Amino acid sequence: MNFSAQTSTKNLLDVLLDKDKFTKKRRTEIGPVGGKKMVFFVDDINMPALEKYFAQPPNELLRQIIDQGGFYDLKKFLFMEVSDCVFTACCAPPGGGRNKVTPRLFRHFNLIWAPDLSIKSMDIIFTSILKGFLSFSKGLEKFAPSIVKSSL
């Protein structure tokens, strides 16, 4: 699921209650279709707009699902358990429309930080990869450095 500044809790609930992605296993339990396991990937988890008290409602709902194993269905007034689902997410540093995400949500994730690479490092990496692809012909390998330099 892609989060944006306009993402609301209703958008997240619509995905969770989509019959093509999740099915009812019991009256109060939903899970992936076909008895499979699911990886629920959230792109740009820090994009939802902040509300009056600086919370991000979609992230709070996601946190509730991870913390408590489900969410409250406001139409049926039942707690809906979400089973066989693992949550993963990605984000960029705050700024430019991106907001800070609360530690209460981030404590559920293992954080991996990918720093920006220098031009020299990218040149070495991409030249090595391209040389490997061009190695099927002896004469083509020598063009890899010039191709990479013109692309960077």
Side-chain angles (χ1 to χ4, degrees):
M1 178 173 186
N2 293 322
F3 276 11
S4 70
Q6 289 77 34
T7 301
S8 67
T9 54
K10 184 182 179 331
N11 300 128
L12 181 56
L13 284 173
D14 288 345
V15 170
L16 291 170
L17 298 174
D18 184 0
K19 290 181 172 48
D20 292 334
K21 294 175 181 63
F22 288 91
T23 59
K24 278 193 171 189
K25 294 185 172 191
R26 282 185 257 142
R27 182 173 176 246
T28 60
E29 182 182 3
I30 62 171
V33 295
K36 298 181 179 182
K37 307 250 186 232
M38 175 185 274
V39 176
F40 192 96
F41 179 73
V42 180
D43 190 17
D44 285 335
I45 197 167
N46 59 345
M47 283 299 288
L50 298 173
E51 51 120 50
K52 181 179 177 183
Y53 297 105
F54 306 105
Q56 294 171 302
N59 286 350
E60 293 304 319
L61 177 60
L62 190 62
R63 185 187 58 77
Q64 179 186 16
I65 293 167
I66 296 169
D67 270 347
Q68 299 174 1
F71 61 94
Y72 287 94
D73 187 343
L74 299 177
K75 293 179 184 169
K76 299 176 185 173
F77 299 109
L78 295 170
F79 183 78
M80 299 297 292
E81 186 180 334
V82 178
S83 62
D84 298 325
C85 189
V86 175
F87 293 89
T88 61
C90 73
C91 65
R98 291 181 174 87
N99 304 296
K100 283 187 173 182
V101 178
T102 64
R104 291 181 302 170
L105 177 58
F106 269 172
R107 71 188 168 117
H108 296 289
F109 297 96
N110 292 315
L111 302 179
I112 299 171
W113 186 266
D116 289 334
L117 296 174
S118 68
I119 297 293
K120 184 178 179 183
S121 296
M122 287 192 296
D123 183 43
I124 292 168
I125 292 168
F126 292 125
T127 301
S128 300
I129 292 170
L130 190 56
K131 277 184 180 179
F133 281 116
L134 298 176
S135 65
F136 66 89
S137 177
K138 291 180 183 177
L140 293 178
E141 285 182 27
K142 65 182 178 187
F143 295 111
S146 59
I147 292 171
V148 170
K149 281 189 173 97
S150 66
S151 300
L152 295 178

